[in-house]
Amino acid sequence: MTVKTPITIAKGDGIGPEIMDATLGILEAAGAQLEIEEIKIGEAVYKSGVANGIDDAAWDSLNRTKIFLKAPITTPQGGGFKSLNVTIRKQCSLFANIRPCVAYAPYVKTNFPTMDLVIVRENEEDLYGGIEYRQSQDVTAALKIITRPGCERIVRYAFEYARANGRKRVTCMTKDNIMKISDGLFHQVFDEIAAEYTDIDCNHMIVDIGTAKVAAHPEMFDVIVTLNLYGDIISDVAAEVTGSVGLGGSSNIGEDFAMFEAVHGSAPDIAGQGIANPSGLILGAIQMLVHIGQGEVAAKVHNAWLKTIEDGIHTGDIYRKETSKKKVGTADFSAAVIERLGKTPEKMKVVDYSAAPPGGIKLPPLTKSKPEEKLRVGVDIGLNWDGKPDELAGLMWDCLLPEHNLALQMISNRGTKVWPDGKDGTFCADNWRLRFMAVNGQVKTSQVLSLMNNMNEAGFNFTKSAMLHTFSGKPGFTVAQGE
Ligand code: NAI
Ligand code: MG
């Protein structure tokens, strides 16, 4: 007797129930061995007063099965509702978002018939920590968090994914020419890990030109690995150029949990009409089957789906007179796939998942980072203040004492040095950063606090401060523009 894998499903909102029913029908007909638990999440749950759209009973199921096939949900606008997707990603530590973007030419109209790339997006860190401040009346700031373990997991996942899926090249995209420390770490970890995978080509591109190339020459790419925000943007660009958002499936992978979905939303404009394309969720479900070790069923469904597309049986979003044969609704599309189970496409490449590891890609334990000597060499102190930089620097003479072992090295505004030797033309907002460096060796916390105490007594208004360290002699902070 085959053991069934327990999974949790949610039918979601809008077109969700229609495309989920279509998808489950295919899975069952294909012989997927699943024990399905259904949970309710989304709009109705939000409206019942659960601010994050998912209640305890739903969590119980997810904690039990750890595998989630999710239809799109509608996030109500306003009213302080938190995004359910972000909540699930974070609470389940789903660190990798995988989005294959494939052209199905000539059957689905696209300008890039040979496009076949996968985006591996870091899913937890970066600006999505949502740590933001209003530092002063006029100045806001968001914190971009990039960690070595976070980089290592996603980069290694990308290479392991490439290996498991017969892909030849991994391209890393960052903006480390500007963000030298944070994006720089991602790039550095990429270079370190790439060296372990001599069987796979690798290269790095600055993300702006990289995104432009995805839009104009997507056939150049195989696997792209990138940070959270860039991955969010690039994956929508890439999905759009394949032909329809209705064709994209995605997986969100963590060490213990995994969530599979379509890339599109709940499409309220066409909900309840039976015309939605279920392909995105079907392709998400195929990734789920591969993940839970049912690669054979996954290939059967995928090949039948490709054959259906090849036969020109298309939903309205991809129906074109020149390339399609028959326009169908959601249920008829699903029936057409079921009819073709066991068949393979004749022109498009036949899919085979026999090389994919059952249970998903397992990463080795994280590398222990080499201990580095960390020295506290200064402090950046943020002040809310109105006036000229020379005047602000002058006022520090009254606050700084020799026993503080600190000297004012520079003042910056919006990241640009304005003292000493500032340019008159530099625009200044009402939040200033004063950099004090140790005169001799390291600075003690008590010395920083004593300086801050004097500044406080002089009436200064603090916004945000940061200690400055060197790591094995290398500065762990950037210089200001113009410094
Ligand atoms: P959307 O992806 O739902 O729709 C964009 C356009 O694409 C619409 O014209 C829609 O009709 C069409 N479309 C989408 N999926 C389709 C399909 N399977 N077949 C045929 N046409 C399809 O994006 P929109 O309108 O920005 O968002 C609607 C709702 O979905 C919002 O409440 C949003 O928050 C939510 N959403 C949920 C996501 C999720 O649960 N993973 C992801 C993105 C949006
Ligand atoms: Mg997005």
Side-chain angles (χ1 to χ4, degrees), residues 18 96 138 210 327 348 360 381 386 396 405 431 435 469 479:
E18 303 161 49
D138 291 348
K327 189 171 182 173
M348 288 193 282
I381 297 179
D386 282 312
M396 286 306 121
N405 185 32
N431 186 56
R435 174 160 291 175
H469 297 99
V479 298

Side-chain angles (χ1 to χ4, degrees), residues 238-253:
E240 188 66 25
V241 298
T242 63
S244 167
V245 285
L247 291 172
S250 106
S251 51
N252 296 268
I253 306 288

Side-chain angles (χ1 to χ4, degrees), residues 101-398:
C101 299
V102 185
Y104 304 101
Y107 312 100
V108 178
K109 198 172 177 299
T110 165
N111 293 330
F112 309 104
T114 60
M115 169 175 187
D116 180 2
L117 62 83
V118 179
I119 294 160
V120 177
R121 163 187 169 194
E122 198 290 314
N123 219 11
E124 292 184 287
E125 303 194 339
D126 199 342
L127 288 157
Y128 291 65
I131 305 174
E132 295 189 287
Y133 301 97
R134 230 182 122 174
Q135 297 188 320
S136 59
Q137 173 100 18
D138 291 348
V139 177
T140 59
L143 198 59
K144 172 164 176 160
I145 297 177
I146 306 295
T147 70
R148 178 170 270 276
C151 295
E152 186 179 323
R153 283 209 291 192
I154 194 68
V155 170
R156 195 174 287 288
Y157 192 92
F159 279 98
E160 289 292 328
Y161 180 94
R163 215 176 240 176
N165 291 278
R167 293 194 172 256
K168 301 283 179 276
R169 185 171 24 181
V170 180
T171 301
C172 173
M173 292 195 195
T174 75
K175 187 80 183 173
D176 66 337
N177 54 330
I178 301 296
M179 280 153 283
K180 297 189 167 66
I181 293 186
S182 52
D183 283 32
L185 176 62
F186 195 95
H187 188 174
Q188 187 190 328
V189 171
F190 176 78
D191 287 345
E192 289 167 17
I193 289 180
E196 296 176 30
Y197 293 83
T198 47
D199 52 325
I200 293 164
D201 284 347
C202 65
N203 67 332
H204 174 268
M205 289 175 98
I206 300 293
V207 64
D208 37 13
I209 188 63
T211 310
K213 293 289 184 200
V214 168
H217 301 286
E219 64 285 349
M220 276 174 57
F221 296 95
D222 197 348
V223 175
I224 296 171
V225 65
T226 190
L227 296 90
N228 204 342
L229 177 61
Y230 310 143
D232 193 355
I233 297 165
I234 299 168
S235 53
D236 276 18
V237 171
E240 188 66 25
V241 298
T242 63
S244 167
V245 285
L247 291 172
S250 106
S251 51
N252 296 268
I253 306 288
E255 248 167 59
D256 301 322
F257 287 86
M259 173 170 90
F260 303 86
E261 58 185 343
V263 303
H264 59 76
S266 57
D269 53 337
I270 57 166
Q273 298 173 32
I275 58 169
N277 188 348
S279 299
L281 192 60
I282 294 170
L283 292 170
I286 289 167
Q287 292 183 35
M288 177 190 74
L289 291 172
V290 175
H291 183 86
I292 62 177
Q294 299 188 24
E296 218 169 290
V297 188
K300 191 173 173 186
V301 174
H302 205 157
N303 286 320
W305 179 83
L306 285 167
K307 178 84 169 96
T308 310
I309 296 293
E310 210 178 76
D311 286 348
I313 300 180
H314 295 168
T315 44
D317 57 319
I318 56 169
Y319 183 89
R320 302 282 181 283
K321 262 206 215 76
E322 323 86 71
T323 49
S324 309
K325 294 225 169 64
K326 191 174 171 201
K327 189 171 182 173
V328 290
T330 315
D332 285 342
F333 181 84
S334 167
V337 175
I338 291 171
E339 229 174 83
R340 286 164 181 76
L341 287 167
K343 293 191 177 155
T344 52
E346 278 150 37
K347 300 279 166 45
M348 288 193 282
K349 217 170 95 197
V350 176
V351 175
D352 175 14
Y353 290 113
S354 57
I361 293 168
K362 288 277 175 264
L363 299 183
L366 290 166
T367 321
K368 239 187 147 20
S369 37
K370 278 189 239 92
E372 292 178 88
E373 187 192 29
K374 178 179 161 197
L375 301 179
R376 178 171 300 149
V377 295
V379 61
D380 275 357
I381 297 179
L383 293 179
N384 184 191
W385 193 74
D386 282 312
K388 292 270 175 229
D390 286 349
E391 193 189 332
L392 181 58
L395 290 167
M396 286 306 121
W397 286 114
D398 298 336

Side-chain angles (χ1 to χ4, degrees), residues 385-395 411 413 418-419 423-426 428 432:
W385 193 74
D386 282 312
K388 292 270 175 229
D390 286 349
E391 193 189 332
L392 181 58
L395 290 167
I411 301 176
N413 194 297
V418 291
W419 182 93
K423 300 260 174 302
D424 282 345
T426 306
C428 290
W432 306 75

